[in-house]
Every structure is written in structure tokens, then in C-alpha cells.
Amino acid sequence: MRIDKTKKDFAFFLLFIFSFLLLWEWLRPLKELTDTGHLSVFLGFVFIALMMYFFNMPILPSAIIKIIIILYSVHFMYYDGTFFSLEWFGQLVNEVIANSSIIMNAEWTEISNAFRTLLFFILLWLMAYLIQYWLINRKQIFVFFFMTLVYITVLDTFSPYEADLAIVRTVIAGFAVMGMLAYYRIADKEVVNKNLRSAKKWMVPLIAMIVLSVGVGYAAPKADPIWPDPVPFITSYNQDSGDGSGGVKKVGYGTDDSALGGPFIGDDRVVFTAEADGRHYWRIETKDFYTGKGWIADKGTAVPVEFLPEQTIPIEPFEAEVKTEQRTSKVVPKIGYPHLVYPLGVTQVEASSGRSTLQFSLDPTTEKITSIADGQAGSIGPYSLTFNHPVYSVEKLKAAGPEELAAEFAFVSKYTQVPEGLPERVVKLAEEITKDKKTWLEKAQAIEKYFRSNDFVYDQTNVAIPEDDEDYVDQFLFETQRGYCDNFSTSMVVMMRSVGIPARWVKGYTEGEYIDTLENGRRLYEVTNNNAHSWVEGYFPGVGWVPFEPTQGFTNNVQFEYDNKDDSQNQTGQEEEEDTTPAAPVKPDLPEEQAPVDKPKVSFSDGLKNAGAILQNNFQKIFLTLLVLAVFAAIMYKLRGRWLPIMYILLYKYTKQNKYMEKAYIVLLKQLGRYGIKRENGQTLRDYAYYVDSFFSTNEMRWLTEKYEEYLYRGNQDENMWQDAKKYWEFMIRKVSA
């Protein structure tokens, strides 16, 4: 039998209230452990949903009300304008579609905040339904009560959340619900009238039992734990075994750099687009303490510094005497990170979050800038940056040395720190490379040049992880000599520190890929996760922090100025490249008769009516047309091996940007597989290219593969790479269409 849904007494109402309190315990820790805000909105939604079930509201009206509440809440949290505007709803639909593909690719960390909120509302909706199902249909809630206790105790053990009171509240609410459900089960089984008198006979002992058990448990003395803290034991299994068998990471920005090494796979998801006056790297943060395995930030007693938009950012990377050029850039985020990306020398940020208050928080140790809207860290929309682009004087850099930092013991100690267990051969190698150099600049340049002129290989896949007794830098310098930016940059910082030059490790993004020149003369760049990068900054007294780029295939476009005009050679190999991007095309004025005209708007309901009428009046013609199209599609699918290559040739024939090389090469691999020349599992691209060339008696596949690998590993250095490779690609794809 079920509980009578037409005559619900006060005890039955208390069932829903105590169940709501149990669910509340799941939400309480979110405020302390995450950046989740507006918890009152989520709690209100759960309460309204439970009350709808209590009053037996029909499914359809209750679902409509819940959907309206969810949409209104999402609009309130993330969108501007009025709720009744369809513009924001279209943005939400596009965001749902985009995030659905992210979920399909298992890129959980890149889901936007708005979509996370939408999913969270759906989860709460499901939880409310399950609670009413347990209460009304099953009359059992022990599983949910037990799961709540486990959830709270796990958080108490493995997180900063203090769950002492939460456990007490959960026990009270859980015992109350289970006791009342037991009353209803017995009343249904024994056919007892469920009135106030019979309820009191059951509830009074229940309340006494709960009060007594909770009181005794709270007041009784507690013994010390008999087991050691399980957190270190469990987390030890989360570390790599040191044999290089750790999982493959996906490239992109991450906050934990304490254990570097290991392979990663590419990810072309766009992080942000930027309008800039020229090319420059995008900083996020710096780290100063090298552990032998990776980097951590030694925060010490530093406290965050808060500032408002358009105020001067309290970062001084170089001295006032350094010659600078004021520039501006505009960033349009595509992933909802709470931190800003900015160039070296940033002085001001202008942004608007659409909320009542917006400010920024700067971590003085890492120089990481976080946006804070309405008191909570979160992402913001487009923002503009003003910065001073430095032009370093080579003469001043050569004159900088340790004498000017003699009194800055704490600063020098911090930025020349190396682990006590750093292998001696790392220090000896740094000293050997710089032994004939007199100035700090020449020594830094010599170390930077060492990585470019020796047998170091840039590689993203075959990258080792140091053993427990191995140093990350030592392994790269003397064992593997193979790795990516983290290997090169970390090694250069440690080597500079080994010869007494203050240096730090910087992470962020490269300039990205040039897309177009805009009407305002700025250049549009697209920055993806593949552009995540790390580099080096060395400190020179009287000048400040100077970037260096040791990673093969990369250049950071640092500009130097020589006082001797005859000395035009850039000794660092980092002279700012001449930007050869084309000028923005001039749009001709449209004749008056070609001016755009506003089109009449048709409502959604009118559109549905018109579509229904057309379908009803032309059903036979539409059916025959669809049948013919289906037959035609089947024939075209059967003959796809002949026409697909031709279509791809036309598709890529007039493309010029290097980003199309990767897409076109993958298309060629698919066409070769469809032709019958399949690539075996584990077969390298070069081996496969030799096999293809031997099959067709050609050499083009090998040459094309070499260019493809060069593009993947060394980036977009040669802007005509795809233009040169296109004829070989077209030759090979015509082969598979023959």
C-alpha cells in the first residue's frame, strides 16, 4: 500500500522537511570547498521541487515551472539583459551544443560555468524526484541517509571541511525520517488509522530516542583515532611509479607543476582570441621554487593585492629607465578561467562583468591575476589590456652584475635557489658553458644557445618521467635530451641559478596563430591549448626581468636596442620578427540600392503553423523527393572513394594558413585507409609514409610527413609551409582517387 496522497498530515509534511535538510547537507560543503555561489538559489529550487511533489502537482505543469526557474536562475547568474529577450537564450543554446561536444571528448575541466550550473540543476531535480520516490513509493530512505553520512565523513577526512556539526544534523534528520517512514509502513501493514493521536504515540518515543542518542554521543568522551591518517597512504598511489608508465596528459594550462615530465597529446580547443598590435607571449604566473621534480610557489607571508578595473596594476617587471612602447591588446576568453592572461609590462586592465562589483586580485609571489565578481572568483567577458612593451638596452644589460644586488640577500637567495640534492654535474655543465663569458647577459645567452646548438630534440610523446632518486633537469640534460618547453625552460632556469644569475620560471601561452588583420589595423590571433608554454625570465639589476626562450622552434620576440648603431646583430637570436601579415582589405562603399534592409520578423508559432500546412498539402511530393534523395545519397556513398578526394582538393586548394596542413594530412590518411592502404596499429607516421611511397613508387608522402611533423613539433615558424606542401598533398590525394 502507498501513503494516502489526498490526506497528508503534519507528520507527512515533516518527512519532506527532514529530507530537504538531508539534501542540504550535500550542498553545504560546496561554499567552502569550491567557487560555487548562489547556494540559496539551488536550495530554493530543491525546496520548491519537493513541495510540488508534496502537493501532488501534475507532472507537466510542475516540469514547466522547474524549467522556468532553472532558465531564470541561469540567466540571473551569467547573462545580461532581460529574461524575456531571446538573444541570451540563443547564446545558452549555443553553449549547450558546444559543451556537449566537450563532454563527448571527456574534456571535463573545460566545461563552462553556465553549463555546469545547468547540469547541477538537472542533478538536483533528479535528487528531488528520488527523495519523493523513496518517501512515497518505497517508504525507505536508509540508502540516501547512509550515502549522506559517507559523503560528509569523506569530506571531513580528505578536505578542510569540518563535518562535526554536519554529522549531528544528518543523524537527527536521518533518524527522524526513517522513524516516521517506519510508522507509515506499520500503519499501512496493520491497517491503522493515521491520525494525530496514533502519530503522537509513535513520534514522542522517536524524538526521545533521537535526543538521547545524539546527546550521549555528543557529550561522551572520544578516544583518539586508532588508525593513522589515510590521506598520505592513499594519495601515494596517485603518484607515478617512476617508470614512465604514467598516463598521457592533455596539453593546456594547469595549476600543479610539482611533478613535471611525461608525454602529452595535443588539444586545439580555443582558449581565447586576441586583438594585438604585435606578437607577444601571454603570461599567467611565475614560480620560483624548484624541488628537483617540478615547480611550486613559495608564497611565504605574501598576501593578495586587490585593485579595481582601470587602476594601475601593482606589477613592476622592469625599472623606470627601461625604454618602453605603450601598446594595447584585447582578449576575448573562450574558456571560463578565473585568471587573466596578460603580456609582460601590463599596467592596466579594463573589463566589465555585468555584475554590481568587479575587482582583481594579484598574487605578489606568482603574479597571477584573478578576476572577482560580486565577491567570488570567476571568469569575465572580453577585457582590454594596456602594457609597456620593453626595448632592452644591450649596454645596460651587459653592465648589470652581482655587485648591484649585494644588499638584496633575500631576493638573490630566492631566485638562485636550487635543491640541496642537485647533481654536481648540472652545476659543472653550467660553469663549463659560461666559463669564457664575462657578463650575466653573455652567460644567459650562452646557456640559451646551448639548447639550440646541441643534440636536444623537441618531442611531446617520447618524454621520460624521472625516477624517485632522479632530478628532472639532470635527466633531461644528461640522459634523454628530449622533451618539450617544460624541460628546456626548467633546465635553463636551474643552470642560470647555478652560476649565480637570478631567474624564474614563467608559464602561459605563446602568441597564438595569426588569423587576420582587422579594420582598425590590429591583428587577430587565436590561442588554443596547443599554445600553452613555459619560458624563462632572468633578473638584471638596473633593468629588471628579461625573457629568454631556450625551447627549440620558439621565439618570444623580445626587442633589444644597441647603442652602437653599427652593431645590428641580435646576439640573443630573439630579434623581433618583421610582421608580414597582409594589410586589412578596404571594403568598397555599397550603392544606396544595396544597403541592408530590415526583414520582417516572423514569430516561432507562425513558423510552425506554416511548416505544418506546407507538409500537409505537399506530402506526396515531399515523400517522393526524399526517396529520390535517399537513393542518390546511397549511390554517392557507394562511390565516395572517387568524388571525395576531388572535393577535398577543391576545399583546400585556396587555403593559405598553416593550420590547414594538419587537417589536410588527416584527410589524406583517411583516404589512404579507404583506398586499402591502412596504417597498422603502432606504426609510426614515417614508417607508414615509406610504405605508401613504396606502394605508389613515389617520394611525396615522405616529404609531406616530414613537413607535417615539423609543423606539429616546432609550431608555425614558416608561414609558407602549407603553401609549399600543398602540391605534394594534392598529388598524393589524386593517387587514391584514380
Side-chain angles (χ1 to χ4, degrees):
M1 294 180 63
R2 296 184 177 182
I3 298 173
D4 188 356
K5 298 181 181 180
T6 59
K7 296 180 180 179
K8 297 186 176 66
D9 54 16
F10 181 71
F12 189 72
F13 177 75
L14 288 179
L15 274 176
F16 280 82
I17 296 299
F18 282 119
S19 300
F20 169 73
L21 295 178
L22 280 178
L23 187 54
W24 192 349
E25 295 301 334
W26 288 76
L27 301 181
R28 288 180 186 272
L30 299 182
K31 188 173 183 180
E32 181 175 340
L33 302 179
T34 70
D35 295 330
T36 305
H38 305 287
L39 287 182
S40 58
V41 176
F42 298 119
L43 287 171
F45 173 77
V46 172
F47 184 80
I48 293 174
L50 289 176
M51 289 301 99
M52 289 180 181
Y53 290 123
F54 175 76
F55 290 108
N56 290 333
M57 182 174 288
I59 295 177
L60 184 59
S62 65
I64 293 175
I65 294 176
K66 291 171 190 172
I67 291 174
I68 293 175
I69 294 175
I70 292 174
L71 293 178
Y72 184 83
S73 301
V74 172
H75 171 268
F76 167 74
M77 295 179 191
Y78 298 103
Y79 295 95
D80 299 324
T82 63
F83 174 71
F84 298 100
S85 171
L86 292 180
E87 182 179 356
W88 78 268
F89 186 75
Q91 297 174 3
L92 178 62
V93 172
N94 293 333
E95 190 157 9
V96 170
I97 296 174
N99 282 271
S100 298
S101 63
I102 293 174
I103 292 177
M104 295 296 293
N105 295 327
E107 300 172 346
W108 313 114
T109 59
E110 299 178 4
I111 300 175
S112 68
N113 290 334
F115 191 70
R116 290 174 193 266
T117 302
L118 191 63
L119 293 179
F120 192 50
F121 271 115
I122 295 174
L123 175 63
L124 294 177
W125 187 345
L126 177 61
M127 293 300 298
Y129 168 78
L130 289 176
I131 286 176
Q132 70 85 26
Y133 174 79
W134 288 326
L135 295 180
I136 298 176
N137 294 74
R138 301 288 302 213
K139 304 191 197 74
Q140 294 178 350
I141 204 169
F142 174 76
V143 173
F144 182 64
F145 169 56
F146 179 74
M147 291 171 58
T148 306
L149 281 177
V150 172
Y151 167 73
I152 293 173
T153 52
V154 168
L155 289 183
D156 183 71
T157 304
F158 295 97
S159 74
Y161 182 64
E162 296 291 339
D164 295 348
L165 293 178
I167 293 175
V168 174
R169 293 191 300 264
T170 302
V171 169
I172 294 174
F175 281 0
V177 174
M178 289 192 298
M180 286 186 285
L181 286 176
Y183 161 73
Y184 279 103
R185 287 199 305 270
I186 295 174
D188 288 340
K189 184 177 180 181
E190 302 297 334
V191 195
V192 176
N193 290 329
K194 295 183 286 292
N195 51 37
L196 184 59
R197 178 177 297 180
S198 62
K200 283 183 177 180
K201 292 180 180 180
W202 182 270
M203 299 306 168
V204 171
L206 175 64
I207 295 174
M209 185 273 294
I210 294 175
V211 172
L212 180 63
S213 59
V214 171
V216 172
Y218 186 79
K222 281 78 174 175
D224 293 332
I226 59 175
W227 293 336
D229 185 3
V231 176
F233 175 76
I234 295 176
T235 55
S236 66
Y237 281 91
N238 196 37
Q239 305 298 323
D240 193 275
S241 60
D243 58 359
S245 60
V248 179
K249 299 171 288 187
K250 181 170 286 189
V251 64
Y253 170 75
T255 58
D256 186 3
D257 304 298
S258 59
L260 300 178
F264 65 80
I265 58 177
D267 181 12
D268 59 359
R269 175 166 166 77
V270 178
V271 181
F272 63 92
T273 59
E275 299 176 14
D277 296 331
R279 299 182 178 185
H280 57 73
Y281 278 8
W282 299 93
R283 307 168 89 250
I284 296 179
E285 61 182 334
T286 69
K287 292 188 177 178
D288 51 56
F289 193 89
Y290 175 63
T291 64
K293 301 294 183 184
W295 291 95
I296 60 175
D298 185 12
K299 295 184 179 295
T301 58
V303 295
V305 179
E306 296 182 351
F307 60 94
L308 298 174
E310 302 183 12
Q311 285 186 337
T312 301
I313 299 176
I315 300 179
E316 298 179 359
F318 30 76
E319 301 295 336
E321 294 78 13
V322 175
K323 180 180 177 182
T324 60
E325 301 171 357
Q326 189 176 76
R327 298 183 180 181
T328 58
S329 294
K330 180 181 179 181
V331 176
V332 181
K334 302 297 182 181
I335 296 180
Y337 287 135
H339 58 256
L340 304 187
V341 294
Y342 61 91
L344 180 68
V346 65
T347 58
Q348 194 176 75
V349 57
E350 298 180 11
S352 174
S353 68
R355 301 290 182 262
S356 58
T357 60
L358 174 65
Q359 61 183 6
F360 300 97
S361 177
L362 168 68
D363 186 330
T365 302
T366 63
E367 296 187 354
K368 188 174 185 178
I369 302 176
T370 304
S371 57
I372 302 176
D374 292 340
Q376 294 183 349
S379 61
I380 58 175
Y383 52 91
S384 299
L385 299 161
T386 303
F387 63 99
N388 294 324
H389 179 73
V391 181
Y392 295 106
S393 168
V394 174
E395 295 302 320
K396 289 184 178 179
L397 288 172
K398 288 183 176 180
E403 300 82 6
E404 300 172 74
L405 284 178
E408 303 291 337
F409 176 79
F411 179 88
V412 174
S413 176
K414 178 178 181 179
Y415 290 107
T416 58
Q417 171 271 335
V418 292
E420 293 183 1
L422 182 70
E424 184 64 26
R425 59 180 180 176
V426 175
V427 179
K428 289 183 178 180
L429 176 62
E431 293 174 346
E432 177 67 22
I433 294 171
T434 60
K435 65 179 181 180
D436 297 327
K437 309 301 180 183
K438 297 180 180 179
T439 66
W440 274 5
L441 176 63
E442 293 171 334
K443 292 182 179 182
Q445 291 172 348
I447 295 173
E448 181 185 44
K449 186 178 180 181
Y450 175 77
F451 292 102
R452 298 177 179 271
S453 59
N454 284 266
D455 297 329
F456 290 93
V457 178
Y458 183 88
D459 192 353
Q460 299 173 348
T461 55
N462 187 22
V463 182
I465 300 174
E467 302 280 353
D468 292 339
D469 58 347
E470 264 188 315
D471 182 87
Y472 176 71
V473 169
D474 181 79
Q475 181 194 58
F476 175 66
L477 291 176
F478 298 100
E479 303 297 335
T480 65
Q481 295 186 323
R482 178 181 294 270
Y484 41 88
C485 57
D486 290 346
N487 300 88
F488 287 90
S489 58
T490 300
S491 298
M492 181 173 179
V493 172
V494 172
M495 293 176 74
M496 288 178 66
R497 291 182 172 190
S498 298
V499 294
I501 305 175
R504 63 185 181 183
W505 189 68
V506 191
K507 59 186 297 189
Y509 298 93
T510 61
E511 65 271 19
E513 182 174 2
Y514 164 77
I515 301 298
D516 196 6
T517 299
L518 305 177
E519 293 181 355
N520 57 11
R522 287 185 174 181
R523 296 170 179 85
L524 178 64
Y525 295 91
E526 187 177 76
V527 181
T528 69
N529 276 324
N530 288 326
N531 296 116
H533 193 56
S534 61
W535 61 97
V536 180
E537 286 181 357
Y539 186 82
F540 294 81
V543 178
W545 292 103
V546 179
F548 293 91
E549 180 53 272
T551 306
Q552 291 191 4
F554 291 80
T555 176
N556 55 12
N557 302 306
V558 174
Q559 190 172 353
F560 293 89
E561 183 179 64
Y562 293 83
D563 295 340
N564 183 0
K565 300 301 181 181
D566 295 334
D567 188 5
S568 59
Q569 184 181 3
N570 188 331
Q571 298 181 20
T572 66
Q574 298 177 8
E575 186 177 19
E576 185 169 30
E577 296 180 348
E578 180 182 356
D579 210 322
T580 58
T581 51
V586 179
K587 293 187 176 181
D589 295 331
L590 290 175
E592 185 176 354
E593 62 271 19
Q594 295 183 12
V597 180
D598 291 337
K599 296 182 179 179
K601 297 182 179 179
V602 180
S603 67
F604 183 73
S605 60
D606 292 339
L608 288 179
K609 293 178 181 179
N610 295 336
I614 294 173
L615 181 62
Q616 184 177 5
N617 297 331
N618 300 277
F619 177 79
Q620 189 174 7
K621 294 180 181 179
I622 294 175
F623 176 79
L624 292 176
T625 302
L626 292 176
L627 181 61
V628 172
L629 290 176
V631 174
F632 177 77
I635 296 174
M636 294 299 292
Y637 180 80
K638 187 71 174 178
L639 301 176
R640 67 190 185 281
R642 294 184 177 274
W643 60 266
L644 262 180
I646 298 175
M647 186 196 71
Y648 283 127
I649 291 174
L650 294 176
L651 180 64
Y652 290 101
K653 189 175 185 66
Y654 301 102
T655 58
K656 297 180 180 180
Q657 298 174 15
N658 287 342
K659 69 177 182 180
Y660 292 102
M661 174 180 285
E662 181 176 3
K663 300 177 181 178
Y665 188 87
I666 293 175
V667 165
L668 177 58
L669 294 181
K670 292 181 179 179
Q671 294 303 312
L672 286 169
R674 185 174 290 116
Y675 187 82
I677 311 175
K678 295 185 177 181
R679 181 184 172 194
E680 300 295 334
N681 292 332
Q683 188 177 23
T684 65
L685 287 177
R686 293 200 177 190
D687 292 339
Y688 180 64
Y690 275 94
Y691 173 69
V692 172
D693 282 336
S694 64
F695 183 89
F696 289 113
S697 299
T698 59
N699 294 316
E700 281 76 3
M701 189 64 184
R702 278 174 284 181
W703 191 93
L704 183 63
T705 300
E706 291 177 0
K707 284 294 182 182
Y708 173 71
E709 292 180 338
E710 181 180 352
Y711 171 76
L712 287 183
Y713 297 151
R714 298 190 178 182
N716 189 15
Q717 299 302 310
D718 182 5
E719 295 184 352
N720 296 319
M721 185 181 296
W722 171 231
Q723 289 285 77
D724 298 334
K726 193 186 304 180
K727 58 183 178 180
Y728 298 97
W729 174 84
E730 184 174 339
F731 176 84
M732 291 305 304
I733 206 165
R734 286 186 184 276
K735 281 286 186 180
V736 298
S737 64

